[in-house]
Amino acid sequence: MRLRDSSVLLVLLTLALRISTVQSEFNKRDDTKIDHGKLYARPLEPMEMHQIVENDNFHSEMKKRREESPEDFAEYLKRAASARALSPSIVRSIYNIPKDVNAGAGKTVAIVVAYGSSSTESDLAAFNARFSLPSCTTANGCFKRVNQNGGSTLPPDDPTTPVAYSWQAEADLDVQWVHAVAPKAKIILVCADSPFFTPMLTAVRTAATLADVVSMSWGGDEGSSASENAFGENIFVQGFYNGVSFFASTGDDGLKAGYPASSPNVIAVGGTTTYTNDDGTLASESAWGGSSGGCSSAFSMTNAQRTNSKAVSLCGTKRAVPDISFDADPNSGVPVYLQGNWYQIGGTSLACPIAAARASALKASSPVGVIDSNYVYSKMLIRDVKTGSNQRYSASTGYDLATGLGVWIGDTIPASSSSSRSSSSSRSSTLRSSSTSIRSSSTTRTSSTIRASSSSASSSTRSSPSTFRESSAVPTRTCFGLFCPRS
């Protein structure tokens, strides 16, 4: 009896020591500041907004006009405006969003920001009215704003001035463009008390209990070791276990990406410069100079990313960032309505909500479960980006540290019940065997080549732009929580 009691006591002491160690590492991150995107907000003149809306209307009507009357279509084409900002219908088109205006039905995207963002719902209403998008309000159940613990008592607004460079602007960008890309998805804005790791990750934990997809357009220093991020990694791993997909922007300085983008349990989203033709079709796509990426110092590659030979050649065993990319260049950015004014905004803070919204559209249109590293490196159809560069790395064929695999425009998963089951098993290739085994960093690229995101990313496997590659990730042990064995 005494021996049994001693064994129980030893187990309890071991667990207490483990928890104390994790807490000690986490406390190092308590005072680490989190930054949202640079946004690069530029006021839009009324005529510019008129042109953007005209382009959006034009693109929506284009197919109908072409089919009904080729002569009228030719004349209509001449009226296309020259504004370079992308509009909702054009973004849904160039990224091949499933179900278009009905994208995201039945799914929920949670957006995590700091501070209260009190004008976000009214700003969204003005945005929707201008672009003829469905209403998304608290009253109709489409929109909800909660604090970092899920309650209704919200923190004050960000006092930063001008407001176009505040967390309010970040929240408006994220909410408006999740809705623009996936108009039927519900949106929950989770407002952390302040922009530091503890409240922000607490808000992420809440978001993961409320949504199918979580969008994080912010980041901070990843630290020197995976164990410093144990609190965040537990949240991400448990979220994956429950089918939640996490997306984070890599940053806007064109240098090394931060956390949480460097996490192996998060999809890191970099940025491109994306221009369209007068008819709204894609004209060019290259790596944006501000898209951050590189090799993590703290985290190792997932087994899925390790099957990509190009990523391995760049980062060895370290997590390579980004995974995928979308438009981020402020010169090819998007309109955002903010407290009575229109701005053109860019940065990877735009790319991230586009990625999250596309994920919700995919989940709503097919029985795909979690979108994790295994899914990214084996199931996504990618438009390769081969030109341009950030401040350290150039885009090239296959994986690179500026755009990752490239632009996500489709999926190889069939719309059948089996894909839901397979996505559940595929999570095991991303979930780490320890709550502190974290991963990181950098990858990017650009071009018009479409291919399957294969783990064997060597360019020698591509014989033509239409060649598709396939691969499978190597599964690993799954474990989450504080009680996983150390690796």
Side-chain angles (χ1 to χ4, degrees):
M1 192 69 176
R2 289 181 179 178
L3 180 60
R4 180 181 302 174
D5 291 343
S6 298
S7 299
V8 171
L9 180 60
L10 180 61
V11 169
L12 291 175
L13 288 173
T14 301
L15 291 177
L17 178 62
R18 179 75 188 280
I19 292 171
S20 176
T21 301
V22 170
Q23 186 63 48
S24 176
E25 294 286 356
F26 176 56
N27 286 340
K28 297 177 183 178
R29 310 287 279 156
D30 281 351
D31 60 352
T32 302
K33 183 81 180 294
I34 293 292
D35 294 315
H36 61 69
K38 294 184 178 181
L39 303 177
Y40 306 95
R42 179 181 71 83
L44 286 167
E45 298 295 332
M47 182 54 69
E48 290 180 291
M49 267 308 299
H50 176 74
Q51 289 181 337
I52 294 169
V53 173
E54 279 291 299
N55 275 1
D56 192 68
N57 293 337
F58 166 80
H59 189 266
S60 297
E61 290 290 322
M62 183 182 63
K63 182 178 179 180
K64 178 181 177 183
R65 298 265 182 151
R66 180 188 283 122
E67 292 173 350
E68 290 181 352
S69 174
E71 296 80 10
D72 288 348
F73 172 75
E75 189 61 32
Y76 193 58
L77 184 60
K78 295 177 183 178
R79 294 177 46 224
S82 58
R84 304 200 87 173
L86 302 184
S87 69
S89 67
I90 290 175
V91 168
R92 291 195 302 272
S93 176
I94 64 174
Y95 296 135
N96 191 32
I97 304 301
K99 301 298 184 182
D100 194 20
V101 295
N102 294 310
K107 299 301 176 180
T108 301
V109 178
I111 297 165
V112 177
V113 297
Y115 299 113
S117 304
S118 63
S119 69
T120 296
E121 185 171 357
S122 59
D123 290 343
L124 176 61
F127 180 85
N128 292 340
R130 195 66 187 267
F131 287 102
S132 301
L133 290 167
S135 172
C136 187
T137 66
T138 300
N140 67 16
C142 173
F143 178 79
K144 186 176 184 179
R145 191 163 56 106
V146 300
N147 65 28
Q148 65 186 38
N149 297 309
S152 59
T153 302
L154 294 156
D157 288 351
D158 183 1
T160 299
T161 57
V163 69
Y165 289 90
S166 70
W167 279 95
Q168 177 67 67
E170 178 68 66
D172 280 14
L173 167 65
D174 297 359
V175 168
Q176 289 171 29
W177 281 89
V178 163
H179 188 58
V181 175
K184 292 299 179 69
K186 293 183 177 180
I187 299 173
I188 298 179
L189 185 65
V190 185
C191 303
D193 289 345
S194 60
F196 292 90
F197 265 117
T198 300
M200 294 297 284
L201 289 173
T202 298
V204 172
R205 181 174 60 190
T206 295
T209 67
L210 300 173
D212 306 282
V213 180
V214 176
S215 178
M216 302 171 287
S217 289
W218 43 267
D221 183 76
E222 69 174 352
S224 59
S225 68
S227 61
E228 291 182 37
N229 298 289
F231 180 64
E233 291 310 287
N234 277 326
I235 293 169
F236 297 137
V237 172
Q238 290 184 49
F240 271 129
Y241 183 80
N242 293 317
V244 181
S245 303
F246 298 91
F247 294 82
S249 57
T250 60
D252 300 333
D253 62 5
L255 300 173
K256 185 178 178 180
Y259 187 81
S262 62
S263 167
N265 297 307
V266 170
I267 307 307
V269 188
T272 64
T273 297
T274 306
Y275 291 121
T276 57
N277 298 307
D278 286 346
D279 62 357
T281 57
L282 184 66
S284 66
E285 205 164 44
S286 59
W288 173 51
S291 177
S292 296
C295 305
S296 172
S297 300
F299 303 114
S300 300
M301 281 185 179
T302 61
N303 284 349
Q305 190 176 60
R306 195 175 293 125
T307 60
N308 187 294
S309 61
K310 188 78 178 291
V312 172
S313 71
L314 292 167
C315 292
T317 61
K318 291 298 185 179
R319 163 88 159 109
V321 174
D323 295 304
I324 54 175
S325 291
F326 288 97
D327 183 38
D329 191 333
N331 294 307
S332 62
V334 296
V336 173
Y337 186 84
L338 174 62
Q339 297 184 353
N341 298 291
W342 286 96
Y343 297 89
Q344 182 166 322
I345 294 180
T348 54
S349 284
L350 166 62
C352 184
I354 291 176
R358 197 189 193 289
S360 75
L362 172 64
K363 288 188 174 191
S365 64
S366 63
V368 169
V370 71
I371 297 170
D372 58 3
S373 182
N374 181 72
Y375 189 93
V376 170
Y377 288 90
S378 63
K379 297 293 189 285
M380 285 185 177
L381 292 181
I382 296 295
R383 185 164 61 219
D384 201 357
V385 180
K386 302 175 183 177
T387 60
S389 65
N390 59 20
Q391 300 305 302
R392 290 181 175 178
Y393 305 102
S394 296
S396 60
T397 299
Y399 184 90
D400 59 68
L401 297 176
T403 62
L405 291 171
V407 178
W408 177 24
I409 60 166
D411 306 87
T412 61
I413 289 288
S416 67
S417 58
S418 62
S419 60
S420 179
R421 292 190 296 270
S422 66
S423 67
S424 176
S425 62
S426 75
R427 286 199 291 275
S428 64
S429 66
T430 298
L431 305 184
R432 300 298 82 197
S433 60
S434 166
S435 65
T436 60
S437 64
I438 300 154
R439 308 189 164 56
S440 97
S441 234
S442 49
T443 107
T444 27
R445 142 178 100 268
T446 93
S447 112
S448 58
T449 300
I450 299 175
R451 58 186 175 72
S453 61
S454 167
S455 305
S456 61
S458 69
S459 58
S460 62
T461 61
R462 287 196 270 320
S463 59
S464 73
S466 60
T467 298
F468 292 88
R469 303 183 319 240
E470 295 186 9
S471 72
S472 59
V474 181
T476 64
R477 293 179 296 140
T478 64
C479 184
F480 65 92
L482 297 175
F483 310 128
C484 300
R486 291 185 182 277
S487 57

